Amino acid sequence: MSSDTRRRKAAKIRHLLETEGESVHENTTHFNEERYDAVEEFDDYEAVRAEARAIKEDAIERLPELVETLRDSVEENGGTLYIADDAADANAYIGDVVDEAGGDTVVKSKSMTTEEIEVNEALEANDVDVWETDLGEFVLQVADEAPSHLVGPSLHRTTDDVADLFNRYFDPDEPFETAEQLTEFARDYLGDRIRAADVGMTGANFVLADSGTITLVTNEGNARKCAVTPDTHIAVTGVEKILPSLSDLGPFIELIARSATGQDISQYVSLFSPPTNSPTLDFEDPEAPAFETDGDRSFHLVLIDNGRLAMREDEQLRETLYCIRCGACANSCANFQHVGGHAFGGETYTGGIATGWETGVNGIESADEFNDLCTGCSRCVTACPVKIDIPWINTVVRDRLNHDHDSSEFDFLVEGLTPDEEPARLDLQKRAFGNFETMAKVGSKTAPVSNWILDSSPIRDGMDRLMGIDQRRELPSFRRESLVDWFAARGGNKVRSTDRTAVLYPDVYTNYVLVERGKAAVNVLESLGVEVIIPDVPGSGRAPLSQGMIDTAESKAKQVTDRLRRYIDAGADIVVIEPSDLAMFRRDYEKLLPARAFDMLSENSYEVLEYVFGLLENGAEADALSNADSRLAYHSHCQQRTLGLDAYTEAVFERLGYDVITSDVECCGMAGSFGYKSEYYELSMDVGSTLGDQFSDATDRTIVASGTSCSEQLTDLLSSDVKHPVEILAPDGR
Ligand code: SF4
């Protein structure tokens, strides 16, 4: 990426942070908090999630068969099913249907699939008036803007914004001021258009194959009106929305509103098997029975392929098709919460899962602009009601983008000189961050000279221009004596134990930069009677994986397991200080290693405070640890939270009598190399400001963080030293 491109990206993000950030943050964090509450109160949540996932897996596997069943059902009901290969095919068919209906006016309910095929533009090119009847979409239509969120398309706008917009556009006698006034106006204005429309167009959240039933899940009731009022109804939806039958629908109705907005159920869940017996109101005669129809209604179900069937054949993108478009992945994502979908999105789709959708339906280049905004923290995986591994999809697409460069005859020279498994034309910034381990080894061997050189202005300036490493960040300072060297020089372990042996994994940062926390971990473990070993083991592959360098990460994963296998076979536990490395062992390696190797490492690896907690629970003497520094402000790492391990640190501090306040901020904004990148520095600091605000009153406490990134960010935010929990617990303070 050129420095101009980085500057353009940074400027766009800065603009969105200033103009839309506040509203996006308020709305997405509200949805996210409501989701947490709704899920906590829903006893069967995990079981229903698993059921929904299984239904989706089965439905996508059986998709061709379900399409044919659905075709029979729709035709039996008197409707027509059309499979559109792509947007142009869909728009041509829809145009013909509107034409046949003598349609001048189409009313629509909210549908991301119709955004994808740009049906409004296609109809308007043929002089058809198209009206969005969802309030958020109506706002966007008036403002001529793209949606910024899958569920709340205009959540980047405040009520005041919308009032200004409507006052300018509609010039009412009395200016609009409140949300109620705006909603009332829109309801009446759009109600007139629905009554007068020739064609109603809806999406469909779910389509039931064996009955031809479509399900609409909304909060405004406008979708039902669009479906049943005009004589012609066109439902446009992705081919992946088919479920086998009504008995499969329940889990999704339980999950979709809870995941999207935290409601137990949406205001309207409408099931139709059109065109028969759909209730229509005679607005000229409101007293007439609601269920009388004139029998002259037509229904067209347009199922969009537009790349979906190819996604089904793509082992890595297939999971995207399980998505029910609830938006929870966006609401739970710290970067999205701050900058919104106008930066974190492609041509149509927004949020974490947008990478999968955009790659599948609009082409991989549409994912290129925003794919790096996923930092791989994995919080969206626990938020997703159908358990999609969204970060992995982002990583796979990043990897494909890395390979998507033209080759040159000199590539062999670059490939021969780089320590990774990646193509020659890999972006320089990605290559630098992905090979941090090599840089750290060289930096350590040549320290302190390496640190002086890296810190010099000309070098920082060059790194900023060539690699986009932001000069506002302090670079890590390499230690001449690595943790592995220190451990060997002290003569190895000081405790011999027949009960418990731990391999302290020397992650790259602990080994070459934050050596003190490694020494503290040795001290803590030995004080609790554990025999410690620190072998020379390669980096986990976290750094290359974060840059989409999957082949390099896979090679590291194999080296790490090969190196650790003999210790595990001999009965040792693997103890890990850095949560993102533990996440590799417990989660990401599942994608990189054979199942047996993954099981071996994941089942025998522990986060260091999780391990300490286990030792204390099993009789180790808490008195052996320090409780001298009694007032702490603690921030856990996002991967630690995703793995459900943050409670162990808090429990150990509590047991030892520390006075601790804990941050409830889920992301510090740094996310490994993300906060170092010049195009994302301001976003990183904006995300971090929430954490900084929480701890700004805690200056009389020792700031403690479990992750390297969190420590770096907190140091920058608070200009304060930050310690790892093991440094607090180490008996002699080291
Ligand atoms: S990926 Fe999961 S969380 Fe995100 S929109 Fe789809 S279903 Fe919802």
Side-chain angles (χ1 to χ4, degrees), residues 167-434:
N167 286 332
R168 269 186 279 116
Y169 193 87
F170 295 106
D171 193 19
D173 295 338
E174 285 293 320
F176 302 120
E177 287 177 0
T178 66
E180 290 72 24
Q181 288 168 344
L182 291 163
T183 310
E184 198 177 327
F185 166 76
R187 187 197 58 204
D188 294 345
Y189 187 88
L190 294 169
D192 289 344
R193 271 131 198 94
I194 292 172
R195 277 188 283 273
D198 305 299
V199 175
M201 192 184 300
T202 68
N205 295 86
F206 308 98
V207 183
L208 309 180
D210 67 348
S211 60
T213 304
I214 65 165
T215 308
L216 298 171
V217 181
T218 71
N219 274 323
E220 296 177 21
N222 60 309
R224 183 178 182 87
K225 289 179 188 169
C226 289
V228 302
T229 309
D231 283 337
T232 300
H233 175 200
I234 306 172
V236 182
T237 196
V239 68
E240 82 284 1
K241 296 290 182 66
I242 305 176
L243 300 176
S245 71
L246 185 62
S247 61
D248 299 303
L249 185 61
F252 297 97
I253 300 300
E254 296 273 21
L255 290 168
I256 192 165
R258 285 186 168 92
S259 304
T261 55
Q263 295 163 277
D264 288 346
I265 192 164
S266 296
Q267 297 289 341
Y268 299 87
V269 177
S270 307
L271 277 76
F272 310 88
S273 303
T276 52
N277 292 329
S278 294
T280 54
L281 270 178
D282 182 348
F283 290 97
E284 298 301 318
D285 180 9
E287 300 303 315
F291 289 90
E292 277 188 3
T293 67
D294 58 13
D296 191 22
R297 297 176 50 73
S298 70
F299 172 65
H300 299 262
L301 176 57
V302 182
L303 290 183
I304 309 289
D305 171 5
N306 203 28
R308 288 165 173 79
L309 296 180
M311 289 165 80
R312 181 174 171 271
E313 301 301 320
D314 183 325
E315 209 183 316
Q316 309 290 358
L317 289 186
R318 183 183 180 118
E319 223 187 349
T320 309
L321 298 173
Y322 306 159
C323 173
I324 59 172
R325 309 254 178 95
C326 69
C329 50
N331 299 336
S332 62
C333 169
N335 279 345
F336 192 96
Q337 285 172 357
H338 283 253
V339 77
H342 286 156
F344 203 149
E347 287 179 35
T348 311
Y349 295 99
T350 54
I353 195 60
T355 285
W357 280 120
E358 289 293 330
T359 303
V361 305
N362 288 324
I364 196 164
E365 55 288 345
S366 182
D368 195 7
E369 175 76 10
F370 67 94
N371 169 263
D372 281 346
L373 285 167
C374 170
T375 60
C377 74
S378 302
R379 277 187 304 150
C380 53
V381 181
T382 46
C384 177
V386 279
K387 302 184 175 190
I388 298 175
D389 194 342
I390 301 155
W392 180 250
I393 293 171
N394 276 282
T395 303
V396 166
V397 170
R398 204 168 295 171
D399 183 75
R400 290 181 186 178
L401 285 164
N402 288 345
H403 286 76
D404 203 23
H405 298 287
D406 296 336
S407 55
S408 114
E409 56 188 311
F410 300 113
D411 284 357
F412 73 96
L413 286 174
V414 180
E415 279 164 6
L417 289 172
T418 53
D420 55 49
E421 313 284 329
E422 306 303 316
R425 294 300 180 87
L426 179 65
D427 181 80
L428 202 51
Q429 184 190 62
K430 285 193 163 58
R431 179 154 265 146
F433 284 119

